[in-house]
Amino acid sequence: MQPGPDELDADTVNRELSVIRTAIGWWRRQGWITTDPTFGIERRPAPPDKTKALSLTQVAAVWRLDDVGLREKTLWRLLYESAARAEETLCLNIEDLPTADKRGKVTAKGGATEWIHWQSATAQLLPRLIAGRTQGPLFLTERRAPAGTPTNDICPVTGRARLSYRRAEEIFEETTRLPANPLARPEQWEELQGWTLHRWRHSALTHDAENGTSTPMLLARSRHASVRSLERYARPGVDAVARHVAAQDPAARRRG
C-alpha cells in the first residue's frame, strides 16, 4: 500500500509539489490551463538539512564506475557541473540547449525561466546523447512511451518517454551502492543503500564553497532566494579540512 499524503515526510511532499508546479507552469504557457490547481497549498516545514557532502574521493569513485550508460554519465556530469536540481534538469528539452554556450534553460520553482551552466565534460557528452535529435526530451527512457503519455514527454524521433525523477533517483541509488559501501561484501549489496541525487547536488555546492566561490556566485549557482539558504553548504567536508590542516602545517610550508 502506498503511503498517504499525511504519512510522507516534508522533503518528499515539497519535492513532489515542486515537480507538479514546474509542469503547471509549462501547461499554462502552452495555454492548456489558465489557473494553478495547487494555489493555496503550502510547502511543509522541513527539518534542518543535515545532508553531508560526498568527499572528492567519493565523487571520483562515481566517475570511475564501470557499466554506466551514456544517459547516466551525461545526467550525473550535468548535475554535478551545474549544481542544478534533478527535477528541473530532467524537464530539459533539446530545444532548451544552446549547447555551444554550455548552458540550458530550465523552468524553476514558481514557473520562472532560469539558466543552468555546465563545463567541458558535459559539453562533450551531450552531442553523443542527443545523436542528431533536434527536439523533444533530453533524457529518455529505454522503452517507447506508454499510451496516455503527454506529447511533451515523448521524443518525436524515437517515441520514447522522458526519464522520470523517480527512475533517475532509483538508478543513481542502485549504481552508487558499491562506492557508498566500499567494504561491503557482494552478498550484502542488495541490503545497502547508495547515494541520492539531492546529496549529489549538495556535494557540488559544498565543493564550490570549499573552493572559495563567492556568496553571490553560490546564490546564482544554487538559485536559492536567500543567503541563509547557503548555510547548509558552509560545512567543509573531510577533504577540505585535510587540505586546510596541511596548508597550516609549518613543516609542510618549509618543505614547499
Side-chain angles (χ1 to χ4, degrees):
M1 179 181 296
Q2 295 293 322
D6 293 336
E7 299 173 300
L8 297 174
D9 63 84
D11 287 339
T12 299
V13 172
N14 293 339
R15 181 177 65 244
E16 297 296 336
L17 186 59
S18 175
V19 170
I20 191 62
R21 282 180 171 164
T22 298
I24 288 169
W26 192 87
W27 294 336
R28 293 180 71 177
R29 290 194 299 277
Q30 303 306 307
W32 295 348
I33 60 175
T34 58
T35 60
D36 182 351
T38 66
F39 179 78
I41 300 177
E42 300 292 338
R43 291 172 59 84
R44 291 188 180 180
D49 189 343
K50 300 296 184 180
T51 303
K52 292 183 179 180
L54 303 179
S55 68
L56 294 176
T57 301
Q58 290 172 319
V59 171
V62 173
W63 302 144
R64 292 195 301 269
L65 286 170
D66 295 327
D67 300 324
V68 175
L70 175 61
R71 181 186 65 188
E72 274 62 54
K73 286 182 180 179
T74 307
L75 176 61
W76 300 348
R77 277 286 181 181
L78 195 161
L79 291 175
Y80 187 78
E81 292 184 355
S82 68
R85 296 178 179 89
E87 300 95 323
E88 298 169 350
T89 303
L90 290 167
C91 288
L92 281 170
N93 291 325
I94 294 173
E95 307 95 288
D96 301 326
L97 310 181
T99 50
D101 297 333
K102 297 181 183 177
R103 63 176 183 171
K105 182 171 60 177
V106 298
T107 302
K109 295 178 180 178
T113 297
E114 297 179 348
W115 291 89
I116 60 174
H117 303 261
W118 51 80
Q119 300 168 5
S120 296
T122 298
Q124 293 171 3
L125 290 167
L126 279 172
R128 294 170 53 196
L129 180 72
I130 294 171
R133 294 183 291 134
T134 59
Q135 59 181 319
L138 175 60
F139 296 102
L140 300 172
T141 58
E142 299 295 338
R143 300 178 180 179
R144 292 184 64 84
T149 302
T151 303
N152 184 58
D153 290 331
I154 301 176
C155 171
V157 176
T158 66
R160 288 149 55 193
R162 184 187 305 276
L163 180 66
S164 69
Y165 178 91
R166 190 180 303 276
R167 180 57 181 151
E169 174 83 322
E170 184 180 71
I171 293 172
F172 187 69
E173 189 276 329
E174 289 179 352
T175 309
T176 58
R177 286 178 185 174
L178 179 56
N181 305 277
L183 301 180
R185 298 187 301 274
E187 62 269 20
Q188 296 176 307
W189 290 348
E190 289 296 324
E191 303 172 1
L192 300 173
Q193 291 186 331
W195 295 316
T196 65
L197 292 174
H198 170 70
R199 191 171 180 185
W200 193 240
R201 164 178 155 86
H202 180 97
S203 300
L205 290 167
T206 299
H207 297 158
D208 275 356
E210 291 173 350
N211 290 330
T213 301
S214 67
T215 296
M217 185 57 68
L218 275 176
L219 276 174
R221 288 263 291 163
S222 67
R223 289 177 292 116
H224 284 304
S226 68
V227 173
R228 185 174 181 180
S229 299
L230 299 179
E231 293 177 359
R232 70 190 69 176
Y233 310 119
R235 297 191 294 270
V238 173
D239 290 341
V241 173
R243 290 196 300 270
H244 174 77
V245 171
Q248 303 304 312
D249 184 348
R253 288 202 297 269
R254 286 196 296 271
R255 288 195 299 270

